[in-house]
Amino acid sequence: MSEQDATLLEWIEGASSGNQEAFAEIVYSFTDAVYNLCYRMLTESTEAEDATQEIFLKAYHHLKSYDRERSFKTWLLSISSNHCIDRIRKRRMHLVSIDEPLPSGATLELSSDAPLPEELTLRREQSLMIQSLLDELQPDYRAAVVLRYWYDYSYTEIAEALNTTESAIKSRLFRARQMLADYYDAQHAKQTPRSVNPRLREG
Amino acid sequence: MVNDIKQLMHEKLDGVLSDDLTEELYQHLARDEEAAQEYARLETLDNVLASAPHARAPQRLAITIMARLAQAIEIQAKLNEAPAEVRQAIMASLSLSILSMMPLMVAASWLVTNSMANPSLLVRVLERVIALMRLMIDAQLILLEEIERIAKDDPITAAAALALMPSMMLGLLDSIEGQSVTSSNAEANE
């Protein structure tokens, strides 16, 4: 067990016994991961914040049932995915905002170098475009795509997080990718054929 | 396009394809222009998603979570301190809410059973029953959300409101029944 895992386990044990400071360490460590999933699933930043809060409250109340043999992050993201899927299904109106402003204090920057304003605009546009693509998917497909692309989870890990089988996840990812590619093409309406990987042209 | 080749494409994009099957895929794509275009399409989409950044949480969010947790623990402590009679009232009212749904379930079962000989009637009956049940469940969810909101500030009042739930549900059933009679009379008069 790594030092990091041992520390996390200490926090979990402490939080299970009612130690709020220990739980605070868990919250600070995983807020970004949970929020990102919620934002990608729910699109709207205020709703993502609300969902993140509810998820951590659920996690706190269910800590005693967490299986120490499992990855804690996977367990937490499993709660997050299912919570977001339930929220989407309960929605009466489809909340889509392509003009969704960035959440206050949030940044989508990955690079430590300050980007040029034009680059920032392009990234923002791309982020909004990606979000509009995700909004086309039904909740369980969306969850599989988010866990695959934002968390780099394997089929097995995604299946565990979403309480289903590997073959179901493969099927969802394949169909989702197909649908997203169709939608992406419709948005961009490319008229010329795509450049094909030169290797594919080798005889 | 053969489904097997499509499967190989997706598995390649997920990074789980063996070297042998990758070679097989590339050889196929080199021969089949349509498949090559399809793979390029999927690969483009894959690159777009793979390049997407992580949304960062607002800086205050972790603090908000802990504050909300502290509040939830405080409310739970108050509920635990509530007199035994209040806890019994909560359990009794929840049970009565569920029991108030029982006549509806029995009536629905009777309707469905007696409509089975007539398919078109059965479909109409099922639609009405499902719509009614959905309405009852939604109403209960809304009432519970309101009570949860009240409970954050005043758990005792929330318990009293919860005790009124069975009456609210029966009132809702009466109003639905009244609307059904009115609409049936309107249809009969047309």
Side-chain angles (χ1 to χ4, degrees):
Chain A
M1 184 186 286
S2 70
E3 198 179 313
Q4 208 172 14
D5 290 340
T7 306
L8 177 58
L9 201 56
E10 268 180 39
W11 292 340
I12 292 167
E13 294 299 340
S16 294
S17 310
N19 184 335
Q20 290 187 46
E21 282 178 19
F23 190 69
E25 296 290 349
I26 294 172
V27 169
Y28 283 111
S29 298
F30 292 100
T31 300
D32 278 343
V34 172
Y35 176 81
N36 176 66
L37 187 144
C38 292
Y39 182 74
R40 293 300 170 194
M41 289 292 290
L42 302 171
T43 303
E44 207 269 328
S45 61
T46 308
E47 198 174 355
E49 284 185 46
D50 210 43
T52 304
Q53 293 175 41
E54 289 167 6
I55 286 159
F56 275 106
L57 290 181
K58 270 189 187 175
Y60 181 81
H61 289 298
H62 290 93
L63 266 178
K64 286 194 166 69
S65 67
Y66 159 62
D67 179 0
R68 272 58 169 166
E69 298 301 312
R70 283 179 75 185
S71 154
F72 181 77
K73 189 174 178 182
T74 303
W75 178 78
L76 191 56
L77 291 180
S78 174
I79 295 174
S80 306
S81 308
N82 290 313
H83 184 83
C84 290
I85 288 171
D86 286 343
R87 272 189 94 126
I88 293 169
R89 287 182 178 150
K90 276 183 192 166
R91 273 176 184 169
R92 296 203 178 274
M93 286 173 56
H94 187 52
L95 298 174
V96 174
S97 173
I98 296 180
D99 296 323
E100 165 73 13
L102 290 173
S104 57
T107 175
L108 297 177
E109 301 307 321
L110 295 179
S111 168
S112 56
D113 299 327
L116 298 170
E118 190 182 321
E119 197 181 324
L120 204 62
T121 306
L122 283 171
R123 285 194 192 185
R124 183 173 183 275
E125 280 176 7
Q126 193 196 33
S127 178
L128 292 175
M129 183 270 295
I130 289 168
Q131 204 53 45
S132 74
L133 286 179
L134 288 175
D135 277 338
E136 290 300 309
L137 298 175
Q138 65 193 64
D140 44 359
Y141 282 36
R142 197 183 307 178
V145 168
V146 171
L147 288 170
R148 161 71 182 82
Y149 283 98
W150 276 266
Y151 299 90
D152 206 24
Y153 272 19
S154 64
Y155 297 147
T156 309
E157 287 169 321
I158 298 173
E160 188 188 336
L162 299 182
N163 300 315
T164 185
T165 61
E166 256 189 62
S167 62
I169 291 302
K170 277 174 87 166
S171 172
R172 282 184 207 176
L173 279 175
F174 295 179
R175 281 189 211 159
R177 207 177 270 133
Q178 210 72 50
M179 288 164 61
L180 290 176
D182 291 343
Y183 191 65
Y184 183 79
D185 281 352
Q187 279 193 337
H188 287 78
K190 288 194 176 182
Q191 293 175 359
T192 55
R194 276 186 187 71
S195 56
V196 176
N197 188 328
R199 171 124 196 245
L200 302 178
R201 296 204 177 278
E202 287 169 16
Chain B
M1 194 180 304
V2 179
N3 279 341
D4 286 347
I5 291 299
K6 276 202 168 178
Q7 174 129 352
L8 292 184
M9 288 184 196
H10 286 285
E11 288 181 2
K12 175 75 183 106
L13 292 172
D14 284 332
V16 299
L17 206 59
S18 66
D19 291 344
D20 290 346
L21 287 175
T22 300
E23 191 56 41
E24 187 182 317
L25 171 65
Y26 280 153
Q27 284 177 6
H28 180 93
L29 297 180
R31 296 190 302 270
D32 186 338
E33 181 67 28
E34 187 192 338
Q37 287 287 333
E38 176 64 10
Y39 184 72
R41 203 172 76 95
L42 293 173
E43 197 175 35
T44 300
L45 184 274
D46 186 71
N47 290 336
V48 166
L49 292 176
S51 67
H54 276 247
R56 299 286 301 275
Q59 286 172 354
R60 69 183 189 289
L61 184 55
I63 296 168
T64 306
I65 291 167
M66 293 313 299
R68 196 164 156 179
L69 176 65
Q71 194 182 36
I73 291 172
E74 196 185 323
I75 289 168
Q76 188 59 46
K78 275 189 191 172
L79 276 174
N80 290 341
E81 288 168 8
E85 291 79 10
V86 170
R87 291 201 296 276
Q88 282 164 8
I90 292 171
M91 294 309 298
S93 62
L94 278 172
S95 304
L96 282 171
S97 296
I98 294 164
L99 279 172
S100 68
M101 299 270 290
M102 287 306 294
L104 174 67
M105 306 288 233
V106 170
S109 305
W110 182 87
L111 274 172
V112 168
T113 308
N114 283 277
S115 310
M116 291 187 65
N118 185 336
S120 64
L121 177 62
L122 178 63
V123 167
R124 286 206 306 273
V125 164
L126 281 174
E127 282 172 0
R128 293 293 290 269
V129 166
I130 289 167
L132 186 58
M133 286 178 131
R134 193 178 289 162
L135 188 63
M136 298 290 286
I137 289 166
D138 284 349
Q140 288 202 328
L141 283 174
I142 289 167
L143 285 170
L144 282 170
E145 278 171 14
E146 283 305 309
I147 288 167
E148 191 184 21
R149 231 185 296 273
I150 298 169
K152 282 178 188 170
D153 296 319
D154 189 347
I156 307 299
T157 303
L162 200 55
L164 292 173
M165 261 187 74
S167 308
M168 293 182 207
M169 297 308 298
L170 287 170
L172 182 62
L173 268 174
D174 280 343
S175 100
I176 292 168
E177 190 185 3
Q179 283 174 19
S180 299
V181 167
T182 307
S183 67
S184 297
N185 289 341
E187 281 173 19
N189 289 337
E190 281 174 6

